[in-house]
Amino acid sequence: MRLEHQFTVPAPIDVVWPALMEPERVAPCMPGATLTGVDGQTFTGNVKVKLGPVTLLYKGSGEFAETDEQAHRTVIKASGKDTRGNGTASATVSVQLSEAGESTNVAVETDLSVTGRPAQFGRGLISEVSGRIIGEFASCLGTRLASEQAGNEQEEAVVQEGGATAQEDVPAQAAPEKPPQHLRAVPPRPEAEPIDLLGTAGLPVLKRVAPLALALAVLLIVVRYWRNR
């Protein structure tokens, strides 16, 4: 199925783009997801999904299949399998960033394939649930980037106030080199809370179930009435 979502991050595009290119920075904002490794353009992780009383754990990997830095566009391919063999999930996600003043508009197109229990939700509910998950992700990412930006500005202010005097007495040192991308280590993180599909769907599920429940209740009342007769 094909899903389309749009959201706005309250940060400039030159701040949002590099963040999206680093899985370590955005993974904590994705509900249910835990990043386990990064190797160049590929990454591995887990996603927990709660479906009523059942919790599913998907283990999988993804890669940045296409990246156009000038156009601020990237394509991510990811797939995973439930550890109990109850289903699979795969997605090709196209992300396009565009400037909106001091903010950034993000357009996401997803080709999603799901098998197993989550597939029972159907296209309508999966679209509703994914929309709410994207909303949570956007809100978290905006807060995270704003916090990082504020921290950087504070550090720059401290350096500007006392850095000039200190630099007169201390010889300049070369900036430490960044480790190659394939050597980046992912610090251990606590397992993320699972995505509660029924809880996230909320009202849409209730709207679909309520008429059926009402019809069954009426039927039971009628059956009891005739039995009493």
Side-chain angles (χ1 to χ4, degrees), residues 10 21 24 31 75 87 102 116 138 141 149 151 171 179 182 207 217 224:
M21 293 297 101
E24 301 97 325
V75 177
E102 292 299 316
L141 182 62
Q149 196 169 7
H182 66 278
K207 286 182 177 179
R224 285 185 178 182

PDB file of all heavy atoms in Angstrom, residues 10 21 24 31 75 87 102 116 138 141 149 151 171 179 182 207 217 224:
ATOM      1  N   PRO A  10      10.080  22.750  13.160  1.00  0.00           N
ATOM      2  CA  PRO A  10      10.414  24.145  13.433  1.00  0.00           C
ATOM      3  C   PRO A  10      11.922  24.370  13.546  1.00  0.00           C
ATOM      4  O   PRO A  10      12.440  24.770  14.597  1.00  0.00           O
ATOM      5  CB  PRO A  10       9.701  24.422  14.762  1.00  0.00           C
ATOM      6  CG  PRO A  10       9.658  23.102  15.437  1.00  0.00           C
ATOM      7  CD  PRO A  10       9.488  22.086  14.349  1.00  0.00           C
ATOM      8  N   MET A  21      20.041  12.472   8.231  1.00  0.00           N
ATOM      9  CA  MET A  21      21.064  11.601   7.655  1.00  0.00           C
ATOM     10  C   MET A  21      21.816  10.803   8.716  1.00  0.00           C
ATOM     11  O   MET A  21      22.654   9.970   8.384  1.00  0.00           O
ATOM     12  CB  MET A  21      22.066  12.441   6.852  1.00  0.00           C
ATOM     13  CG  MET A  21      21.488  13.097   5.604  1.00  0.00           C
ATOM     14  SD  MET A  21      20.904  11.883   4.378  1.00  0.00           S
ATOM     15  CE  MET A  21      19.129  11.921   4.702  1.00  0.00           C
ATOM     16  N   GLU A  24      21.363   7.748  14.400  1.00  0.00           N
ATOM     17  CA  GLU A  24      21.485   7.844  15.860  1.00  0.00           C
ATOM     18  C   GLU A  24      20.684   9.011  16.418  1.00  0.00           C
ATOM     19  O   GLU A  24      20.224   8.971  17.560  1.00  0.00           O
ATOM     20  CB  GLU A  24      22.951   8.014  16.279  1.00  0.00           C
ATOM     21  CG  GLU A  24      23.860   6.878  15.841  1.00  0.00           C
ATOM     22  CD  GLU A  24      24.595   7.210  14.560  1.00  0.00           C
ATOM     23  OE1 GLU A  24      24.010   7.885  13.705  1.00  0.00           O
ATOM     24  OE2 GLU A  24      25.756   6.798  14.422  1.00  0.00           O
ATOM     25  N   PRO A  31       8.604   6.057  17.488  1.00  0.00           N
ATOM     26  CA  PRO A  31       7.954   5.199  18.494  1.00  0.00           C
ATOM     27  C   PRO A  31       8.229   3.715  18.256  1.00  0.00           C
ATOM     28  O   PRO A  31       8.121   3.223  17.133  1.00  0.00           O
ATOM     29  CB  PRO A  31       6.464   5.522  18.301  1.00  0.00           C
ATOM     30  CG  PRO A  31       6.445   6.901  17.735  1.00  0.00           C
ATOM     31  CD  PRO A  31       7.650   6.974  16.847  1.00  0.00           C
ATOM     32  N   VAL A  75      16.039   8.369  -0.256  1.00  0.00           N
ATOM     33  CA  VAL A  75      15.170   7.192  -0.319  1.00  0.00           C
ATOM     34  C   VAL A  75      15.753   6.127   0.603  1.00  0.00           C
ATOM     35  O   VAL A  75      16.929   5.773   0.499  1.00  0.00           O
ATOM     36  CB  VAL A  75      15.065   6.634  -1.755  1.00  0.00           C
ATOM     37  CG1 VAL A  75      14.210   5.364  -1.760  1.00  0.00           C
ATOM     38  CG2 VAL A  75      14.477   7.675  -2.695  1.00  0.00           C
ATOM     39  N   GLY A  87       4.953 -12.646  10.949  1.00  0.00           N
ATOM     40  CA  GLY A  87       4.734 -11.700   9.867  1.00  0.00           C
ATOM     41  C   GLY A  87       6.005 -10.966   9.491  1.00  0.00           C
ATOM     42  O   GLY A  87       7.041 -11.066  10.152  1.00  0.00           O
ATOM     43  N   GLU A 102      11.962  29.865   8.494  1.00  0.00           N
ATOM     44  CA  GLU A 102      12.845  29.303   9.517  1.00  0.00           C
ATOM     45  C   GLU A 102      12.481  27.860   9.856  1.00  0.00           C
ATOM     46  O   GLU A 102      13.097  27.261  10.734  1.00  0.00           O
ATOM     47  CB  GLU A 102      12.775  30.158  10.791  1.00  0.00           C
ATOM     48  CG  GLU A 102      13.377  31.540  10.640  1.00  0.00           C
ATOM     49  CD  GLU A 102      14.854  31.489  10.290  1.00  0.00           C
ATOM     50  OE1 GLU A 102      15.574  30.686  10.907  1.00  0.00           O
ATOM     51  OE2 GLU A 102      15.280  32.249   9.398  1.00  0.00           O
ATOM     52  N   GLY A 116       0.927 -10.818   8.211  1.00  0.00           N
ATOM     53  CA  GLY A 116       0.721 -11.240   9.592  1.00  0.00           C
ATOM     54  C   GLY A 116      -0.384 -10.455  10.274  1.00  0.00           C
ATOM     55  O   GLY A 116      -1.238  -9.850   9.626  1.00  0.00           O
ATOM     56  N   ALA A 138       7.472  13.755  14.321  1.00  0.00           N
ATOM     57  CA  ALA A 138       7.749  15.146  13.962  1.00  0.00           C
ATOM     58  C   ALA A 138       7.846  16.026  15.198  1.00  0.00           C
ATOM     59  O   ALA A 138       8.735  16.882  15.303  1.00  0.00           O
ATOM     60  CB  ALA A 138       6.654  15.665  13.027  1.00  0.00           C
ATOM     61  N   LEU A 141      11.128  15.197  16.991  1.00  0.00           N
ATOM     62  CA  LEU A 141      12.284  15.679  16.242  1.00  0.00           C
ATOM     63  C   LEU A 141      12.426  17.188  16.367  1.00  0.00           C
ATOM     64  O   LEU A 141      13.536  17.707  16.558  1.00  0.00           O
ATOM     65  CB  LEU A 141      12.155  15.279  14.768  1.00  0.00           C
ATOM     66  CG  LEU A 141      13.321  15.687  13.861  1.00  0.00           C
ATOM     67  CD1 LEU A 141      14.616  15.022  14.322  1.00  0.00           C
ATOM     68  CD2 LEU A 141      13.027  15.319  12.409  1.00  0.00           C
ATOM     69  N   GLN A 149      19.997  22.930  19.126  1.00  0.00           N
ATOM     70  CA  GLN A 149      20.369  24.242  18.616  1.00  0.00           C
ATOM     71  C   GLN A 149      20.596  25.231  19.761  1.00  0.00           C
ATOM     72  O   GLN A 149      21.548  26.017  19.746  1.00  0.00           O
ATOM     73  CB  GLN A 149      19.281  24.769  17.667  1.00  0.00           C
ATOM     74  CG  GLN A 149      19.729  25.931  16.805  1.00  0.00           C
ATOM     75  CD  GLN A 149      18.734  26.236  15.706  1.00  0.00           C
ATOM     76  OE1 GLN A 149      17.644  25.662  15.660  1.00  0.00           O
ATOM     77  NE2 GLN A 149      19.094  27.144  14.825  1.00  0.00           N
ATOM     78  N   GLY A 151      21.530  24.477  22.793  1.00  0.00           N
ATOM     79  CA  GLY A 151      22.769  24.091  23.446  1.00  0.00           C
ATOM     80  C   GLY A 151      23.992  24.580  22.683  1.00  0.00           C
ATOM     81  O   GLY A 151      24.956  25.064  23.272  1.00  0.00           O
ATOM     82  N   PRO A 171      48.378  27.317  22.756  1.00  0.00           N
ATOM     83  CA  PRO A 171      48.635  27.130  21.322  1.00  0.00           C
ATOM     84  C   PRO A 171      47.471  26.422  20.652  1.00  0.00           C
ATOM     85  O   PRO A 171      46.812  25.573  21.239  1.00  0.00           O
ATOM     86  CB  PRO A 171      49.900  26.264  21.297  1.00  0.00           C
ATOM     87  CG  PRO A 171      49.946  25.591  22.629  1.00  0.00           C
ATOM     88  CD  PRO A 171      49.337  26.573  23.594  1.00  0.00           C
ATOM     89  N   PRO A 179      35.706  10.021  13.105  1.00  0.00           N
ATOM     90  CA  PRO A 179      35.956   8.637  12.718  1.00  0.00           C
ATOM     91  C   PRO A 179      35.214   8.312  11.434  1.00  0.00           C
ATOM     92  O   PRO A 179      34.180   8.918  11.136  1.00  0.00           O
ATOM     93  CB  PRO A 179      35.388   7.825  13.899  1.00  0.00           C
ATOM     94  CG  PRO A 179      34.377   8.730  14.517  1.00  0.00           C
ATOM     95  CD  PRO A 179      34.903  10.122  14.330  1.00  0.00           C
ATOM     96  N   HIS A 182      31.840   4.134   8.766  1.00  0.00           N
ATOM     97  CA  HIS A 182      31.562   2.721   9.021  1.00  0.00           C
ATOM     98  C   HIS A 182      32.035   2.274  10.398  1.00  0.00           C
ATOM     99  O   HIS A 182      31.758   1.150  10.817  1.00  0.00           O
ATOM    100  CB  HIS A 182      32.217   1.852   7.941  1.00  0.00           C
ATOM    101  CG  HIS A 182      33.718   1.893   7.960  1.00  0.00           C
ATOM    102  ND1 HIS A 182      34.430   2.908   7.361  1.00  0.00           N
ATOM    103  CD2 HIS A 182      34.622   1.060   8.515  1.00  0.00           C
ATOM    104  CE1 HIS A 182      35.720   2.695   7.526  1.00  0.00           C
ATOM    105  NE2 HIS A 182      35.866   1.586   8.238  1.00  0.00           N
ATOM    106  N   LYS A 207     -15.055   3.622  16.198  1.00  0.00           N
ATOM    107  CA  LYS A 207     -16.125   3.915  15.239  1.00  0.00           C
ATOM    108  C   LYS A 207     -16.498   2.690  14.431  1.00  0.00           C
ATOM    109  O   LYS A 207     -17.659   2.504  14.067  1.00  0.00           O
ATOM    110  CB  LYS A 207     -15.682   5.054  14.309  1.00  0.00           C
ATOM    111  CG  LYS A 207     -15.674   6.429  14.966  1.00  0.00           C
ATOM    112  CD  LYS A 207     -15.275   7.485  13.972  1.00  0.00           C
ATOM    113  CE  LYS A 207     -15.331   8.887  14.595  1.00  0.00           C
ATOM    114  NZ  LYS A 207     -14.912   9.937  13.629  1.00  0.00           N
ATOM    115  N   ALA A 217     -25.647  -6.376  20.538  1.00  0.00           N
ATOM    116  CA  ALA A 217     -26.397  -6.150  21.771  1.00  0.00           C
ATOM    117  C   ALA A 217     -27.902  -6.211  21.510  1.00  0.00           C
ATOM    118  O   ALA A 217     -28.658  -6.823  22.276  1.00  0.00           O
ATOM    119  CB  ALA A 217     -26.015  -4.797  22.373  1.00  0.00           C
ATOM    120  N   ARG A 224     -33.174 -12.937  23.913  1.00  0.00           N
ATOM    121  CA  ARG A 224     -33.613 -13.140  25.290  1.00  0.00           C
ATOM    122  C   ARG A 224     -35.117 -12.907  25.428  1.00  0.00           C
ATOM    123  O   ARG A 224     -35.807 -13.614  26.180  1.00  0.00           O
ATOM    124  CB  ARG A 224     -32.858 -12.190  26.236  1.00  0.00           C
ATOM    125  CG  ARG A 224     -31.427 -12.625  26.484  1.00  0.00           C
ATOM    126  CD  ARG A 224     -30.756 -11.744  27.512  1.00  0.00           C
ATOM    127  NE  ARG A 224     -29.396 -12.171  27.797  1.00  0.00           N
ATOM    128  CZ  ARG A 224     -28.608 -11.594  28.689  1.00  0.00           C
ATOM    129  NH1 ARG A 224     -29.048 -10.552  29.385  1.00  0.00           N
ATOM    130  NH2 ARG A 224     -27.395 -12.054  28.885  1.00  0.00           N
TER     131      ARG A 224
END
